[in-house]
Structures are given as C-alpha cells and as structure tokens.
Amino acid sequence: MSCLIRFERTGGPEVLQWVEADVPLPAAGEVRIRHAAVGLNFIDTYHRSGLYPVPLPSGLGQEAAGVIEALGEGVTAFAVGDRVAYVGGPLGAYSEVRNLAADLLVGLPDDLSFEQGAAMMMQGLTAQYLLRRTYRVQPGDTVLIHAAAGGVGLIACQWAKALGATVIGTVSSDAKAELARRHGCDHTIIYTRESVSARVREITDGEGVPVVYDSIGKDTFMDSLACLRPLGMMVTFGNASGPVPAFEPALLSRMGSLFLTRPTLFHYTARRRDLLEMAGELFAVVASGQVRLSINQRYPLKDAAIAHRELEARRTTGSSVLIP
C-alpha cells in the first residue's frame, strides 16, 4: 500500500487528491522504489492544468530519489538497497512507493543526498543539455538566462560561469537579483522595470548575445529574439507565461538569420547511454562544488497543492522538494 497524489480532472491545485493505492510486485524489467524525496517542477503544473494533456485519472510527477525495495525479473544492473534517482517515465513520482522501469534509473552517488538527487535530475539535466548540447557554451561567450533565480536558472548560471561565460540573468525582484548574483550571474535585469533587450544591448556594447535560454514563453519570446546577435540561437524550453503564439518564420531572417529550437529533456535522454553520460557530468559538477543546489522549499508530499500554488505564484526560488 502506498499513499500518492492523483487527479481525476484538470484544473487548479485543488484537483490534487491524497489517496491510497496498492503497489503490485514489480514486473519484468522493473524495480520497486521507496521514495525519500520527490522533485517539484513547473511541468507538473502543465500536466495538472491540462496544458500538456494526459489520460485521466492520473498520477503526477516525473522526478524522485529513493531506495530500491524489490527487483522484477531480469533486472541485473541494480540490487535491493541501491540508492537511485530518476526523471521521466509514466507520471507517478508524487508517491511514497512505486514501480518503474530499471532503464530509467541512475545510481545516486553516496556523496549526494536524496534531496539533491530529487532536486537535480529534471532541472540539472535540463541545464546540462542546454549548456552542453543544444548550444555548447564556450569560454568568452555572453549568455542570457531567463528566470535566473529559478531551479534551472540557478544551476545554469553557476554552470555557465564555470564554463567561462559571462552570464546575464533576468529576475522579477531585487531579492531574486541578489540570489542570482550569488550563483554566478554577472549582470541581472529586473524585467518588471527594465527593458531586457535594451539592457542586453547595453551590456554587450550593442552586439547582442549568441544564445538566449528562455523558459518563460509567450511574454518574453519577442524580446528574447531582440537580444540575439546575427546567427544567434533562441532556445525556448518552457511556457511559464503560456505557449509562444504562431509567427511567420521569415521574422527569424529579418532579425539576423536566427536559429530557433524548442527542445525537451526526454529527447536528449532517450538513449540510456546519453542519460548515463549526462547524469555523470551533472553529478560530477555538483560534487566538485562548481554547482551548488539551492533547495529552498520543502513540503510534505500530501501538501502538493500548496507547493503548486506557491510555484505558480512565483513565490519560490531555486529548487523545491516534496517529502513523502
């Protein structure tokens, strides 16, 4: 028996229910995991609200860390008692215990806590593919990172700085600007009272930046394009303000033959070899101290609705975890 969060209809945080359910023996290729910490991510609100439709009723959550309790037939890469973390698979991480395909798991090093494991898989691997694979940041680059005080933002700012980049970050308040600066952001732009593109042009002596990492979506898309230098890359990887409206592709030509991509983590981790390589690089940069995880909010798992309200109201900073 396991307690978990489930929702039977889409809507606001009030649709989340705390229920009990039986957990069967793991099937072939699966393991049973007892969660020690569960990650909270903005994509969870998209599934709950219906922006990203899922079959209902449904569990929620794609990221957690814990201990293996049982093995299904054919699982040889892990043993009972192993510490593991994961991101992806069927929704259902908002639970005390669950079964999951072993191929989705990575071993969690002993020098990293369960909370770190739960907080870093979605956000940390997102930062990894953004900085190392989508646009490979080089020493001397100047990069723009929206939502610099958020979970992905704080990781990406530190990592980009460690790679030798100059980091410009957008935030909503002076307090968040200070937080971003403590995590590697060289220049902060408070978008509630400054023009982002004007400040970027000022900082770069009119040149613009080679890449913009934008998780906000609709509200920032056009201004982000205006921040790019010719042949720059626009990476739109989230919809915090809503999806980007349709536009004429010739706009990219007029603004400097810009590149545009809309990546998602799970295409980058679809091959297990890539997942293990990406996780290994992430774990190493965290263990080295070059990237410090800021787990600034902790909620009981049963209070997931409260966590969603605070996340959507942008009252959170850094990473948040749910504790079963």
Side-chain angles (χ1 to χ4, degrees):
M1 187 69 69
S2 170
C3 289
L4 68 151
I5 294 290
R6 183 178 65 191
F7 63 110
E8 298 180 348
R9 59 185 176 88
T10 57
E14 69 279 357
V15 304
L16 300 181
Q17 303 171 331
W18 181 240
V19 300
E20 287 188 344
D22 290 325
V23 181
L25 292 174
E30 291 184 339
V31 302
R32 179 190 294 160
I33 308 164
R34 180 165 294 276
H35 291 149
V38 176
L40 174 70
N41 295 285
F42 222 99
I43 194 173
D44 303 342
T45 71
Y46 300 161
H47 292 139
R48 186 212 72 225
S49 70
L51 179 62
Y52 291 178
V54 299
L56 298 176
S58 177
L60 194 61
Q62 296 181 287
E63 171 187 47
V67 176
I68 293 177
E69 287 192 331
L71 305 176
E73 181 182 353
V75 175
T76 59
F78 296 100
V80 172
D82 281 356
R83 306 169 77 250
V84 294
Y86 68 88
V87 59
L91 300 185
Y94 284 23
S95 58
E96 294 175 330
V97 179
R98 76 175 302 192
N99 295 330
L100 195 67
D103 283 349
L104 295 173
L105 305 175
V106 296
L108 184 65
D110 290 339
D111 56 356
L112 297 175
S113 71
F114 289 120
E115 288 191 2
Q116 287 177 306
M120 81 165 75
M121 291 297 289
M122 176 79 78
Q123 296 170 350
L125 289 178
T126 296
Q128 195 279 343
Y129 84 72
L130 291 174
L131 301 174
R132 307 296 289 151
R133 299 183 67 186
T134 305
Y135 175 90
R136 194 171 178 88
V137 172
Q138 302 296 321
D141 280 343
T142 299
V143 304
L144 174 62
I145 300 172
H146 282 288
V152 174
L154 291 181
I155 294 172
C157 285
Q158 294 175 84
W159 204 334
K161 188 68 175 175
L163 292 170
T166 297
V167 182
I168 306 171
T170 70
V171 294
S172 61
S173 67
D174 291 305
K176 289 187 176 183
E178 175 58 29
L179 180 63
R181 286 192 292 269
R182 292 201 305 268
H183 288 78
C185 203
D186 296 287
H187 305 275
T188 55
I189 301 172
I190 300 176
Y191 66 83
T192 53
R193 61 175 187 248
E194 299 178 275
S195 165
V196 174
S197 56
R199 284 282 290 122
V200 167
R201 293 290 172 178
E202 179 184 334
I203 292 166
T204 61
D205 295 325
E207 181 180 357
V209 294
V211 63
V212 175
Y213 298 110
D214 188 337
S215 61
I216 306 302
K218 174 174 65 69
D219 289 354
T220 53
F221 183 75
M222 292 303 299
D223 208 27
S224 291
L225 293 180
C227 294
L228 287 164
R229 71 187 188 193
L231 308 184
M233 178 176 285
M234 173 64 180
V235 185
T236 174
F237 68 99
N239 303 310
S241 67
V244 174
F247 69 97
E248 170 54 53
L251 175 69
L252 302 175
S253 173
R254 294 196 298 270
M255 298 187 76
S257 296
L258 304 178
F259 294 87
L260 169 65
T261 183
R262 179 55 173 93
T264 185
L265 171 62
F266 302 116
H267 289 136
Y268 283 89
T269 59
R271 295 189 304 176
R272 180 157 179 79
R273 181 182 67 189
D274 291 332
L275 170 64
L276 294 177
E277 288 179 359
M278 292 168 66
E281 186 174 8
L282 171 62
F283 292 163
V285 78
V286 172
S288 73
Q290 290 178 299
V291 170
R292 293 176 290 110
L293 299 175
S294 295
I295 304 172
N296 295 338
Q297 295 80 214
R298 295 168 176 83
Y299 307 90
L301 178 57
K302 64 182 178 61
D303 292 338
I306 295 173
H308 276 222
R309 288 188 185 97
E310 296 198 353
L311 181 65
E312 290 180 298
R314 303 195 183 181
R315 290 196 292 265
T316 66
T317 59
S319 301
S320 303
V321 293
L322 306 169
I323 306 300

